[in-house]
Amino acid sequence: QALSFIAIMRVPWWEIWCTQGVSPDKMVGGKFATLDYYRKVLQGANRLKEEHNVEMKANHTWGEMAKLKRAAKIAKKADKAFRTNFKTLDQEQAKVFMDILGLAASTLDDLNEPHQSFEYYNQMIEYDKCAIVRQTNATLEYEYCSGGLWSRVIIQLRFQMNQPEKAKEYYDRAVQLKWAGDQVHHWPNEWHIPTLMMPKLRSQPLWTKDLTTSGKMEAASPFLQEEVKQLIEVGWMQKTTQNDHVLITKGSWSELKLWSGKEWSEACLTAPRTCRFLSELPELMGTFP
């Protein structure tokens, strides 16, 4: 018994809660377990996801998904407690519920389980997550939140679940959506569904000679390649921020942000010509109309 206890104590408490089958939908004194309890559950599951991401950044094709699966299992258990009692939730409880749904949706998405992931994204749409979590009445804030949900389910339906007709139905619903009397999504067609639509920016299916930046970058490729090699040699590529490891099946996918948060990175000290070249491109450094 002592050995068993020691073995259990080495496992994080949120995993014990998940693997021991303890139901989160139990009521305490006729009410939910405290919100702090569920926030800790979320914190533990998100920690598992972060640990997985750290491992994936170090080894992009690492195929171990155990931590993601545990995080998804935790989110599913917590979801049941809130969904059963949704009509009785106050504002703070509802926000935590939306966090749980978001965790389940994104984790299952990372696990390449589009059918299950879709169900959680769809729940957030039906419960109107963006109205629950909003901080202002601004349509722009609502659009940014809503666009992430609607565009994701449309992409899942069309490309992952092979249901183009249903994808079109969701597109039609999305462009009819209104907030505070304003139309939320101004998408021009079902193929152009960005999270946030910038008005007056030109849109077309294929860009060719209009992309003048590509020609400039091709001409600059000799020194661009040379400075990329220098960035690799001094270790900058070990500090990449890319987390889209789910997009690849072999090789690597790295990203180093030279411009982020309205300022240039210290990496520009290693790649001065590259940063100066990019800073002089109006296509990159211009202002939105």
Side-chain angles (χ1 to χ4, degrees):
Q1 289 180 344
L3 288 175
S4 298
F5 177 76
I6 292 172
I8 290 175
M9 289 303 291
R10 293 182 63 184
V11 179
W13 69 268
W14 61 85
E15 293 185 40
I16 296 174
W17 167 77
C18 177
T19 56
Q20 297 301 310
V22 178
S23 175
D25 53 0
K26 63 185 178 182
M27 306 291 277
V28 179
K31 299 180 180 179
F32 277 118
T34 65
L35 278 185
D36 284 343
Y37 170 78
Y38 286 106
R39 288 186 177 118
K40 287 181 180 179
V41 168
L42 273 169
Q43 188 179 55
N46 279 315
R47 191 173 300 149
L48 287 171
K49 285 194 67 176
E50 181 57 32
E51 289 173 2
H52 172 82
N53 285 337
V54 168
E55 290 162 347
M56 287 299 290
K57 287 178 182 178
N59 184 357
H60 295 224
T61 54
W62 186 70
E64 178 56 58
M65 296 293 180
K67 289 182 178 178
L68 280 186
K69 290 178 180 178
R70 289 202 295 272
K73 188 174 181 180
I74 291 171
K76 287 180 179 180
K77 278 180 170 286
D79 162 48
K80 293 179 182 178
F82 285 86
R83 199 182 338 162
T84 303
N85 301 279
F86 180 73
K87 292 183 179 179
T88 65
L89 300 183
D90 61 29
Q91 185 74 7
E92 289 305 308
Q93 289 171 331
K95 286 181 178 179
V96 172
F97 180 35
M98 294 303 108
D99 287 341
I100 290 170
L101 294 180
L103 172 66
S106 63
T107 306
L108 290 165
D109 219 348
D110 287 347
L111 286 167
N112 196 26
E113 296 286 354
H115 290 82
Q116 292 187 56
S117 176
F118 169 83
E119 293 302 323
Y120 287 97
Y121 282 122
N122 193 52
Q123 279 189 61
M124 288 187 279
I125 288 174
E126 299 303 327
Y127 287 129
D128 199 0
K129 169 193 173 178
C130 302
I132 293 172
V133 303
R134 66 183 175 83
Q135 296 181 334
T136 70
N137 283 324
T139 302
L140 185 64
E141 179 191 356
Y142 188 90
E143 177 191 0
Y144 187 71
C145 170
S146 174
L149 300 177
W150 286 95
S151 62
R152 189 63 197 141
V153 296
I154 292 169
I155 290 171
Q156 286 182 322
L157 288 167
R158 181 177 298 283
F159 297 106
Q160 294 181 284
M161 299 164 66
N162 195 27
Q163 298 183 40
E165 293 181 358
K166 192 170 182 180
K168 179 62 165 60
E169 291 176 9
Y170 271 75
Y171 167 79
D172 290 338
R173 286 178 58 190
V175 294
Q176 294 172 15
L177 191 64
K178 291 186 180 296
W179 175 256
D182 298 326
Q183 182 178 346
V184 177
H185 301 296
H186 298 268
W187 295 333
N189 56 66
E190 60 188 292
W191 300 97
H192 188 180
I193 51 174
T195 299
L196 191 63
M197 187 77 184
M198 299 302 297
K200 300 181 181 180
L201 286 180
R202 185 155 55 101
S203 161
Q204 62 189 57
L206 180 64
W207 295 79
T208 54
K209 61 183 179 181
D210 296 305
L211 291 177
T212 57
T213 303
S214 60
K216 295 175 183 177
M217 295 192 74
E218 286 176 358
S221 62
F223 73 78
L224 292 177
Q225 292 183 49
E226 182 59 34
E227 292 198 336
V228 166
K229 291 178 183 177
Q230 293 174 14
L231 288 168
I232 294 173
E233 289 174 1
V234 300
W236 270 105
M237 299 312 289
Q238 300 300 318
K239 304 175 183 179
T240 59
T241 56
Q242 182 57 258
N243 61 358
D244 290 337
H245 40 71
V246 295
L247 299 177
I248 61 174
T249 56
K250 61 181 179 179
S252 62
W253 180 296
S254 300
E255 168 189 271
L256 176 62
K257 293 181 179 178
L258 298 177
W259 169 267
S260 181
K262 298 184 178 181
E263 61 183 23
W264 292 96
S265 163
E266 290 183 7
C268 289
L269 295 174
T270 304
R273 291 187 67 188
T274 297
C275 293
R276 184 166 59 251
F277 167 74
L278 295 174
S279 71
E280 294 171 353
L281 291 177
E283 302 95 323
L284 300 181
M285 305 307 296
T287 57
F288 285 115

